[in-house]
Amino acid sequence: MNHLQALYGGTFDPIHYGHLKPVEALANLIGLSGVIIMPNNVPPHRPQPKASSQQRKQMVELAIADKPLFTLDDRELLRDSPSYTAQTVRAWREEQGPQRPLAFIIGLDSLLTFPSWYQYDTILDNCHLIVTRRPGYPLTMAREQDQQWLDAHLTPHADELHALPAGRIFIAETPWFNISATLIRERISHGEECDDLLPPPVLDYINQQGLYR
Ligand code: ATP
């Protein structure tokens, strides 16, 4: 069987259990050979992360230190230009060759806005999309044309993710975590506890750096 590799992009400001636990469950559920976490550089016209690129990178490293499933790729963080998933997965495909199955992981909230992403329709030429559940978001797209696009690519068969190099969307039955980085930043700024929301070494680092206060 071809090894299915997955890329997981996001701001990770900070990385939390809502990022890690659904993806760990997913890896067991469908068999992933590895997950590459790629924190993105945020374009200048968008609200900037509260933590610096270096701090976001450090937090990912702390979060995955004892989790061999995950690796970190910091190439977007180190870049000055905005990161577009369409370009990232095109470059990744060129590196990996045409046959290897590749997937990009997103949460359900991101699937709902996916058709507004830059050159979104080219992303499936280069990889599959694997969607993790997130509470509070519907399973259908707001616009009929986006639902048609989703239906055209959706598969209930995880096997297809391994058998084909790209082109399918799989919504996985992963556990739900009602956690967001926004919630964590708010709780810290109000002096509230976050112990059950993110790995202890990441929380220690946040406190030590005085982040999000
Ligand atoms: P923020 O609250 O700052 O917007 P976030 O917690 O949504 O951040 P991001 O770094 O923006 O995290 O998200 C990266 C990816 O992780 C996205 O695809 C997002 O859908 C997914 N994700 C984040 N939190 C969860 C969660 N609780 N369950 C499932 N997926 C999640």
Side-chain angles (χ1 to χ4, degrees):
M1 189 194 281
N2 272 330
H3 288 301
L4 176 59
Q5 280 198 73
L7 198 61
Y8 194 25
T11 314
F12 304 109
D13 183 27
I15 190 164
H16 54 69
Y17 285 144
H19 296 127
L20 297 164
K21 294 197 175 194
V23 173
E24 288 180 303
L26 177 71
N28 289 328
L29 210 63
I30 68 169
L32 287 176
S33 60
V35 176
I36 304 161
I37 297 185
M38 193 183 275
N40 54 27
N41 175 14
V42 179
H45 60 278
R46 302 273 298 278
Q48 289 299 300
K50 297 280 183 274
S52 68
S53 295
Q54 203 50 44
Q55 288 169 322
R56 290 187 290 130
K57 174 180 168 177
Q58 184 75 41
M59 291 190 283
V60 172
E61 280 174 345
L62 289 167
I64 66 175
D66 61 347
K67 298 182 193 304
L69 174 67
F70 295 100
T71 51
L72 166 74
D73 186 323
D74 63 2
R75 80 179 85 176
E76 290 196 343
L77 269 185
L78 300 175
R79 202 181 281 162
D80 282 334
S81 50
S83 338
Y84 292 114
T85 301
Q87 293 169 334
T88 301
V89 297
R90 192 175 303 131
W92 190 34
R93 171 57 70 195
E94 275 166 22
E95 278 168 30
Q96 299 292 323
Q99 297 305 330
R100 180 176 291 207
L102 301 176
F104 193 81
I105 302 174
I106 55 177
L108 185 53
D109 58 307
S110 303
L111 176 68
L112 301 176
T113 60
F114 191 81
S116 69
W117 293 17
Y118 177 69
Q119 295 185 345
Y120 83 100
D121 50 340
T122 70
I123 294 175
L124 286 170
D125 295 340
N126 292 309
C127 64
H128 303 293
L129 267 189
I130 303 179
V131 182
T132 59
R133 295 297 184 91
R134 197 168 180 180
Y137 295 93
L139 279 169
T140 50
M141 310 295 278
R143 296 193 314 172
E144 179 55 32
Q145 70 204 78
D146 295 338
Q147 184 63 41
Q148 281 173 13
W149 165 83
L150 175 60
D151 290 340
H153 296 284
L154 207 56
T155 178
H157 306 297
D159 291 359
E160 291 186 10
L161 304 173
H162 296 272
L164 300 168
R168 296 288 189 265
I169 301 175
F170 181 76
I171 302 181
E173 291 282 347
T174 46
W176 301 22
F177 292 91
N178 198 4
I179 303 174
S180 68
T182 305
L183 174 72
I184 293 171
R185 294 194 301 271
E186 283 174 5
R187 288 181 79 145
I188 292 174
S189 77
H190 295 136
E192 292 165 14
E193 282 202 2
C194 290
D195 292 6
D196 46 349
L197 306 182
L198 69 178
V202 179
L203 189 54
D204 290 345
Y205 179 82
I206 289 171
N207 290 332
Q208 182 199 322
Q209 297 279 309
L211 272 170
Y212 311 127
R213 284 197 190 141

